[in-house]
Amino acid sequence: MATSIKLNKVVKRYGAVEVIHGIDLAIDPGEFVVFVGPSGCGKSTLLRMIAGLEKITGGDLLIDGERMNDVPASQRGIAMVFQSYALYPHMSVYKNLAFGLETAGYKKAEIDERVQRVARILKIESLLQRRPRALSGGQRQRVAIGRAIVREPKIFLFDEPLSNLDAELRVQMRVEIAKLHQDLGNTMIYVTHDQVEAMTMADKIVVLRDGIVMQAGAPLELYNRPANQFVAGFIGSPKMNFLAARASAGANTIEVAGRNVSLDAALAVRQDEPLTFGVRPEHIAVGGEAGEMLGEVKVQLVEHLGGGTVLYATTAGGENLTISAAGQLRVRHGENVPLRIDPAICHVFDSQGMALRS
Amino acid sequence: MVSFTAGDAVARRPAKPGRLSRFFFAGNGAGYMFLAPWLIGFLGLTLGPALASLYLSFTDYDLLQSPRFVGMDNYVRMATGDAKFAAAMKVTFIYVILSVPLKLIFALALAMAFNRGIKGLPFYRAVFYLPSLLGGSVAIAVLWRQLFAADGLVNSVLSVFGIDGPSWISNPNYSLYTLVVLSVWQFGSPMIIFLAGLRQIPQDMYEAANMDGASKARQFFRITLPLLTPVIFFNFVIQTIDAFKAFTPSFIISAGTGGPINSTLFYTLYLYQEAFGFFRMGYASALAWVLVLIIAVFTAFSFLTARYWVHYDE
């Protein structure tokens, strides 16, 4: 049966420096949760606190309702896959997989049965007698995952497990980990700085910044309704465009790039209040008739990706803008192109960076 | 119009230097200039005397008369008719077998204590390394003699607890072990190397073992020791060679005699006595070459067995 995790006002301090600032988070049984954020945001520290590798300075960690703050790592029912894999280089793959079971005092026959079963699941049967140095990056990754699975833990933790792999292998392993979650149904927490990994794998994404949860929710919720400018910029690739804006006459109109853009409904803002207008590159149309006119921009660079075209442009006011269009646009460097947007899927942020909902 | 034939071209080309001279001189002149001091020193002060001693080991030579070739006589005497040689071998092997493992265990234990990240580590590291710098010196050997003499500091301390200590260096039952203790006290050098080796073991190996529930003892025997084997191997070979070559402690503490009753007669001290006490340079040279052979066999054996117990990551 899958396991729930709850963090109540969890704090981490190193001396006088507080790096995790009272995080509250609930993870449902069987959920695949991804901690995402830039380097130094505290995502790995938070994971290690759940694992029991870092002491929790304040607050409570509850696993299935039981307080775990002072329970040793090995007794929390957790297995972890490390960024560096942490395979023992002097042991064969078999011995690496069996180490935890031997430590726990399992009988030889049981250990062998479990190791063989995991090897079959991960398709590493032929590698069992090899040493880690004789394995490729992808194979090492499988062994590291195998070492976690073989103990049959309640919770899996992954600390940037794909960051040492090349792009192709990363995509492949991403799919395999997602499949593994479907098959095993365990609660999993996965740390990454790659928002594409987060979007593709997670049931729930937790976006962290400077030890604070900026937003937690389903991937599309974060994409469609970011709570603040940081999440809006972090989720989505290419990242969201931000343009300086101002509350215009009438609460449902704002001035962006020298033009008035009508919103669907009124915002609770003062006249002339400085705002930030956010629009995703894929939500901007080049030419056409639909939506509202955003004005003309000058194309600085064109990237033809085959299935799509990415334009890097500047507005008349000198602001940078990225446009991601489907298909192969016949646009050249230096050309002026008209842009149109659908205000219903655009975003407005106040001067504190908080999203304003109409 | 001027024209050249193939023959002209060949005639004008400078003569090609030989393969050997090209290897040595093709643009390498400056390199050899820099190498010269070492090269001259090596040839004149190491290789030359070594080869000369190899020749002398087959002679009878007392420094006053010319060496007289005696074939294998020196080696035969060693193997059959020299009780002192056997005594020196026994003392040296006991010293090596006791001092090397004890020193390595002590060095590793302290390195592990330091590796826990204590405050003021550089200071303690320097303090503990100091004996290694001083230990081989005459001054420390003299000090050691004072400490372990019948009326020395060690016995004074023991007397506080009502223990009547023996004369550690003049009693043949204890004298060699006093030298073993002196050797173990010079643990600084292997300790520093162990510390560097411990620092190389990735922390996440221990974290993974922690999550598996491995106790500290299991982590030590299943992770630390195996991953440290390249460093253990290095320290073991170096310390063993050093122990075979040990001379100063025995020379100073026994006043050059190797006594009492040959109990501290290190192999090198016996060699010294034969060479500079009795001026039997031929026999002393043979002794030196036997020591070289023993060290070579030991080193070769260590390297041959290393593949079974030394774990190299890559």
Side-chain angles (χ1 to χ4, degrees):
Chain A
M1 203 182 107
T3 301
S4 69
I5 302 172
K6 203 161 189 317
L7 304 178
N8 288 337
K9 304 263 176 293
V10 164
V11 171
K12 178 69 191 176
R13 264 185 233 107
Y14 294 104
V17 182
E18 189 168 295
V19 292
I20 299 287
H21 310 285
I23 284 183
D24 289 308
L25 186 67
I27 297 172
D28 295 331
E31 220 172 8
F32 195 118
V33 175
V34 175
F35 292 171
V36 71
S39 294
C41 69
K43 54 191 187 295
S44 284
T45 307
L46 192 59
L47 189 81
R48 290 166 60 81
M49 288 160 77
I50 295 170
L53 297 173
E54 294 280 356
K55 272 205 147 328
I56 297 170
T57 317
D60 296 316
L61 164 68
L62 307 174
I63 295 179
D64 276 342
E66 199 181 328
R67 191 173 184 272
M68 286 285 160
N69 290 40
D70 303 315
V71 175
S74 59
Q75 289 166 30
R76 293 187 183 192
I78 289 175
M80 184 157 160
V81 177
F82 292 82
Q83 184 175 5
S84 65
Y85 316 137
L87 299 178
Y88 307 123
H90 55 291
M91 294 183 197
S92 65
V93 167
Y94 187 100
K95 286 276 178 194
N96 264 284
L97 295 176
F99 184 82
L101 300 176
E102 283 173 3
T103 305
Y106 281 87
K107 290 209 170 76
K108 251 189 164 179
E110 163 101 33
I111 293 172
D112 189 59
E113 192 267 323
R114 282 211 202 184
V115 169
Q116 298 292 351
R117 183 155 43 87
V118 165
R120 268 196 307 279
I121 292 171
L122 294 169
K123 300 183 182 69
I124 52 172
E125 298 113 301
S126 61
L127 309 176
L128 287 175
Q129 295 316 316
R130 288 202 205 162
R131 293 269 175 90
R133 66 168 175 262
L135 304 178
S136 68
Q139 288 168 334
R140 285 181 202 197
Q141 182 57 256
R142 276 170 215 269
V143 177
I145 293 171
R147 195 169 60 176
I149 297 174
V150 80
R151 285 177 48 220
E152 297 177 2
K154 293 187 287 185
I155 300 162
F156 286 95
L157 307 181
F158 296 87
D159 189 4
E160 305 208 30
L162 308 185
S163 56
N164 292 336
L165 303 179
D166 63 49
E168 194 183 347
L169 204 52
R170 210 153 51 214
V171 173
Q172 191 187 326
M173 289 305 296
R174 205 164 71 196
V175 173
E176 291 196 21
I177 291 173
K179 265 191 200 160
L180 198 70
H181 177 244
Q182 280 176 7
D183 294 345
L184 299 176
N186 293 55
T187 308
M188 294 187 178
I189 306 178
Y190 186 104
V191 163
T192 181
H193 60 265
D194 182 346
Q195 61 89 28
V196 177
E197 267 175 36
M199 289 294 286
T200 51
M201 298 172 86
D203 294 323
K204 181 192 280 175
I205 296 177
V206 179
V207 183
L208 289 147
R209 183 194 192 187
D210 298 335
I212 294 168
V213 174
M214 300 302 286
Q215 190 175 1
L220 289 181
E221 185 191 334
L222 266 59
Y223 178 85
N224 292 327
R225 296 175 64 82
N228 48 61
Q229 201 175 330
F230 178 79
V231 174
F234 199 82
I235 299 292
S237 179
K239 65 179 284 188
M240 186 184 282
N241 295 294
F242 296 113
L243 299 170
R246 203 156 49 86
S248 201
N252 61 346
T253 307
I254 61 169
E255 190 188 317
V256 184
R259 280 177 174 272
N260 281 333
V261 174
S262 301
L263 303 172
D264 281 0
L267 296 171
V269 290
R270 298 186 315 274
Q271 169 93 30
D272 290 336
E273 185 176 330
L275 304 168
T276 301
F277 180 77
V279 56
R280 296 200 181 277
E282 56 273 30
H283 293 160
I284 303 174
V286 178
E289 298 294 325
E292 283 227 22
M293 187 69 178
L294 188 64
E296 278 204 343
V297 292
K298 187 174 186 179
V299 176
Q300 302 293 345
L301 186 71
V302 184
E303 285 179 352
H304 294 289
L305 306 177
T309 309
V310 180
L311 308 179
Y312 298 92
T314 46
T315 63
E319 289 179 291
N320 293 324
L321 208 62
T322 307
I323 302 117
S324 176
Q328 299 175 356
L329 288 189
R330 302 281 171 221
V331 179
R332 277 196 299 260
H333 162 250
E335 204 175 318
N336 285 319
V337 291
L339 302 180
R340 301 189 84 90
I341 53 164
D342 175 3
I345 50 172
C346 291
H347 308 265
V348 183
F349 305 96
D350 66 16
S351 56
Q352 305 301 310
M354 300 309 292
L356 297 169
R357 302 271 177 235
S358 54
Chain B
M1 190 177 136
V2 181
S3 67
F4 290 100
T5 64
D8 289 333
V10 170
R12 282 155 199 226
R13 198 180 296 151
K16 251 188 171 180
R19 193 178 283 185
L20 195 66
S21 57
R22 252 185 295 149
F23 175 78
F24 279 110
F25 299 111
N28 294 333
Y32 284 109
M33 287 288 285
F34 283 109
L35 260 182
W38 179 86
L39 215 52
I40 291 165
F42 173 71
L43 293 175
L45 301 175
T46 304
L47 189 61
L51 292 176
S53 84
L54 182 60
Y55 165 70
L56 289 175
S57 73
F58 297 104
T59 67
D60 181 8
Y61 180 45
D62 62 3
L63 286 178
L64 299 173
Q65 292 170 325
S66 301
R68 184 173 59 86
F69 190 76
V70 294
M72 297 295 289
D73 279 8
N74 289 329
Y75 293 98
V76 171
R77 182 185 151 206
M78 238 181 276
T80 56
D82 186 355
K84 219 172 167 187
F85 167 78
M89 282 288 252
K90 186 180 162 194
V91 166
T92 305
F93 269 91
I94 291 173
Y95 177 75
V96 170
I97 288 166
L98 288 180
S99 70
V100 173
L102 283 174
K103 189 195 280 193
L104 293 186
I105 289 167
F106 204 59
L108 179 57
L110 269 163
M112 290 194 63
F114 284 152
N115 196 40
R116 296 168 74 93
I118 59 168
K119 277 186 182 172
L121 175 62
F123 172 74
Y124 289 115
R125 210 163 42 195
V127 166
F128 282 97
Y129 187 63
L130 217 54
S132 285
L133 296 177
L134 305 172
S137 72
V138 173
I140 291 299
V142 170
L143 177 72
W144 213 250
R145 198 165 66 183
Q146 302 302 324
L147 282 175
F148 285 92
D151 55 352
L153 185 67
V154 172
N155 280 347
S156 301
V157 172
L158 288 176
S159 69
V160 173
F161 300 99
I163 300 168
D164 186 17
S167 173
W168 301 98
I169 52 178
S170 54
N171 184 329
N173 290 330
Y174 302 111
S175 50
L176 178 59
Y177 305 109
T178 310
L179 295 186
V180 169
V181 173
L182 172 59
S183 162
V184 173
W185 182 62
Q186 298 158 43
F187 58 84
S189 170
M191 181 198 74
I192 296 285
I193 296 168
F194 275 138
L195 195 53
L198 288 170
R199 293 273 167 100
Q200 294 295 313
I201 300 175
Q203 197 53 35
D204 52 17
M205 301 254 172
Y206 295 109
E207 291 180 344
N210 256 337
M211 299 214 63
D212 281 340
S215 64
K216 290 288 173 203
R218 187 168 164 81
Q219 288 181 28
F220 175 74
F221 286 110
R222 297 296 302 274
I223 298 170
T224 308
L225 267 191
L227 293 182
L228 211 56
T229 48
V231 177
I232 294 172
F233 176 63
F234 174 81
N235 268 337
F236 176 67
V237 170
I238 295 294
Q239 292 303 323
T240 307
I241 291 172
D242 267 1
F244 272 120
K245 289 167 28 190
F247 172 78
T248 315
S250 162
F251 181 77
I252 301 294
I253 284 175
S254 71
T257 64
I261 325 172
N262 293 337
S263 62
T264 60
L265 185 66
F266 282 179
Y267 191 94
T268 48
L269 181 60
Y270 178 50
L271 190 159
Y272 171 84
Q273 288 175 351
E274 285 293 313
F276 301 103
F278 304 110
F279 297 106
R280 290 194 280 256
M281 290 296 172
Y283 190 58
S285 295
L287 284 171
W289 276 96
V290 167
L291 182 60
V292 168
L293 196 69
I294 290 169
I295 291 174
V297 167
F298 156 77
T299 310
F301 180 74
S302 301
F303 273 89
L304 282 176
T305 58
R307 75 175 70 166
Y308 301 108
W309 65 277
V310 180
H311 304 286
Y312 291 103
D313 188 8
E314 296 299 337

